[in-house]
Amino acid sequence: MSIRVYARWIICIALLFIGACKGLAQTAREPEEKMVADLLERLIENQESTVDYTDLQEQLEYYLQHKLDLNKADRSQLERLVFLSDKDINALLQHRNEFGDYLTIYELQTIEVLDERTLYYLSYFVSVDVELNDDHTPFLQCLQKGKHEILALHENDFQTKAGYNTELREQGKSYYLGSPYRYVLRYRFNYNSKLSLGYAGEKDMGEQFFQGTQRSGFDFNSVHFFMRNMGKWKAIALGDYQASFGQGVTFGSGQAARKSAYVLNARRSFQALRPYRSLNENEFLRGMAATYAFRHLEVTLIGSRKYISTNFQNADTLIADDGNFSSIQLTGLHRTQTETATKNNVLQTMYGGHITYKSESFELGLTAVSAMYNKRFEAGDKPYQLYNFSGTQLTNMGVDYQFQLRNSNVFGESSMSDNGAPANILGLNIPLHQLLDMVFVYRNYSKKYQATFHNPFGENTDGKNEEGLYSGLSLKPKRGWLLNMYFDWYRSPWLRYLTDAPSRGTDYLVELQYNPNKQSQFYIRYRHELKNKNQSDNISIIDYTSFNQREQYRVHAQYKISDNLTSKSRLEMLVYTDELSGKQQGSLIFQDMLYTHPQKRFTLATRIAIFSVDDYNARIYATEQDVLYQYAVPLYQNSGIRYYAVAHIKLHKRLDVWFKCSHTEYSNVKTISSGLEKINGNRLSDLRVQIRVGF
């Protein structure tokens, strides 16, 4: 894009900043779906991968719909609200200890530590509702009093992809077996936070539906039954569920946030058991689990037995061998004959448990989990795969802990896989002053450490072959101002994928916020990453590594123009540098508008984005608002314009409809993507329609 175009957009943003002053005093509440979208964006915006964040979104949705009772919530429950610092949690608990139970949520305004934005977030996630939390309703009455909802989603692209070309079938080549539509059907039943049961079915684009090998309908089906707080039984799970313990080093299914703008949020704080409501086809358990509590002890037992999709990969085939496999399919896609042939071809059995001792200021837990397969898992033959797991059974054991040291919080976990390899993490949250908080996290995951499900804090997602030291700082220099910073140093003593040598790197972020009121936020951000990787343009036989550098610059403004209209503007630039290819640049500028009907019968969210990205290495991610229980983190590369609109219409108190239309038009390419996903042309458009019926 030309400098003139950049200048025009910068002027527009400047005018919007100025116009914001007219709306700073507005305090009308935002829709709950926007609140979840904002929090999710802050948690995942730094994570440059196409990971399925549905589980993380579902966790936020759960806390939003089942608010914590301020008079019952303990420290571990409050820690799950990611926007709360240790200092905030200490203040909430101390106020309750000194003055007794909260009489109203407005009493929070008397706690000096809590700023306006934290108070605003809390108003969505907490309540003072003794009757709800002291609920002793019998099980059968729960079934009679609960709420039902049915959701149906349709999604399609408007451009035809190469995989749907019938000529491929005639030529004997790989092609998509099913239709180019995505369908999702969900049923959910909830009684307060005590009882939950539901079903979810999904057919991805290209998968068969009531035809071929998928005559039963949906390619993926999930059923769950979950009960909480039935006497001493804190949780009972049947069907599909998730389990996470300690800091996620020994065992943790589902997704957890990594480094983010919530710089103090380095500690994991999970519900030990939770129902599985997402559509990720891998990150869950299927079977039975329960948590039983007596006095200061909580005992959780888990059992799971499910089939997983795997590949046996060698020079000749990607089809699963009769005796072993070397990788697990993570996409959940079964569109072609090859993908369908490897569906659910290995039986995975897991069992284990966690026992925790809890007091007011101390927690100590022990985890033991074992995974077994009916076929042998064989590590690949690449050098970086040398220490990967091989065999039919893998066992992990670990000890996790957390305790208060005056106003500070110490947390950590030490784990070991059955090959004797250790993995350790140790963290310290320190409220140095009423205006200053810091966190330090040291982790050391052995290159030989192996685990089935885990999600510990770190630079990489595999939780092994990494040593690092993370420090975060949050400073409130004056009312309305917030300075967030983190610095992370890490190294890998062994090789990694696309890094054929021991490597190291640094990552730091600086963000200055101005929050004039509960609903307005302005910030500027700088992020710098430096790490080793194979040289991308290397022509030598040996893959030499070199440092590459990513620098991100962001200016962001969000504010209310009126009671019913909210604006969000952003300018982001990225500079990528490596030793051989030099510099590549990427830039993104977008304008969001959100309109909410005065009676909340209708909301409309829109965005227009202009982007120019020289190379994939300079790509930019930006989260988008979506229909309920869906998320979107599109990748911006090449050059062009993208816009979308999401409408939520409440046709009746029991009937809601969502529409999302998006369109991307590139100015510098004639084809989009490659292989079976290839589109001839420079335009990409899609539609999502979702209906919810409640009764």
Side-chain angles (χ1 to χ4, degrees), residues 8-253:
R8 182 184 300 173
W9 279 90
I10 291 172
I11 291 172
C12 290
I13 287 184
L15 291 173
L16 286 168
F17 267 77
I18 296 171
C21 297
K22 298 180 180 180
L24 295 184
Q26 305 294 338
T27 57
R29 287 173 65 83
E30 300 284 7
E32 291 186 345
E33 56 201 75
K34 181 181 182 299
M35 179 61 61
V36 170
D38 286 348
L39 286 172
L40 189 67
E41 178 181 24
R42 298 285 286 174
L43 285 170
I44 70 176
E45 59 187 348
N46 286 340
Q47 302 180 35
E48 298 183 359
S49 61
T50 54
V51 174
D52 187 343
Y53 296 109
T54 310
D55 174 50
L56 198 56
Q57 182 188 28
E58 290 280 354
Q59 293 178 52
L60 292 173
E61 292 281 359
Y62 173 81
Y63 299 139
L64 192 67
Q65 296 170 10
H66 304 94
K67 304 183 190 304
L68 289 176
D69 183 356
L70 284 172
N71 294 327
K72 300 293 183 181
D74 58 23
R75 179 177 296 277
S76 62
Q77 290 174 312
L78 291 171
E79 286 171 352
R80 294 171 195 148
L81 302 181
V82 296
F83 53 86
L84 290 179
S85 67
D86 268 17
K87 183 171 59 184
D88 297 332
I89 295 172
N90 289 339
L92 288 168
L93 296 176
Q94 184 177 352
H95 183 91
R96 191 173 72 192
N97 291 336
E98 290 183 3
F99 301 102
D101 286 354
Y102 290 91
L103 301 178
T104 170
I105 191 173
Y106 299 107
E107 192 175 340
L108 294 173
Q109 298 179 30
T110 65
I111 303 177
E112 294 184 3
V113 170
L114 305 179
D115 58 32
E116 287 193 356
R117 194 161 192 83
T118 302
L119 288 170
Y120 186 60
Y121 284 151
L122 279 170
S123 69
Y124 283 85
F125 289 94
V126 301
S127 68
V128 177
D129 193 345
V130 176
E131 180 181 353
L132 176 64
N133 287 275
D134 285 346
D135 191 349
H136 299 290
T137 305
F139 173 73
L140 292 179
Q141 291 186 25
C142 291
L143 293 175
Q144 297 173 357
K145 295 181 178 181
K147 296 180 180 180
H148 307 259
E149 70 173 12
I150 299 173
L151 297 100
L153 171 71
H154 166 89
E155 180 179 355
N156 68 272
D157 295 328
F158 289 101
Q159 289 76 24
T160 302
K161 297 179 179 179
Y164 301 102
N165 190 337
T166 56
E167 294 181 0
L168 294 175
R169 183 179 313 183
E170 298 170 357
Q171 297 170 4
K173 297 180 179 179
S174 180
Y175 62 93
Y176 290 153
L177 300 171
S179 67
Y181 307 114
R182 178 175 178 247
Y183 303 129
V184 176
L185 178 65
R186 302 176 194 251
Y187 164 74
R188 295 186 175 192
F189 171 86
N190 282 286
Y191 175 71
N192 296 332
S193 60
K194 191 171 186 177
L195 177 62
S196 170
L197 59 93
Y199 163 80
E202 180 189 39
K203 170 218 176 290
D204 287 304
M205 294 179 182
E207 293 179 341
Q208 294 176 308
F209 191 57
F210 289 110
Q211 65 182 100
T213 60
Q214 196 54 48
R215 296 189 179 278
S216 59
F218 291 104
D219 175 77
F220 175 69
N221 297 274
S222 175
V223 178
H224 78 265
F225 175 90
F226 199 89
M227 295 176 60
R228 287 186 177 87
N229 300 324
M230 300 295 289
K232 292 185 177 182
W233 293 96
K234 294 301 180 183
I236 299 175
L238 300 175
D240 294 349
Y241 65 95
Q242 290 186 316
S244 300
F245 309 121
Q247 295 303 306
V249 180
T250 307
F251 189 85
S253 63

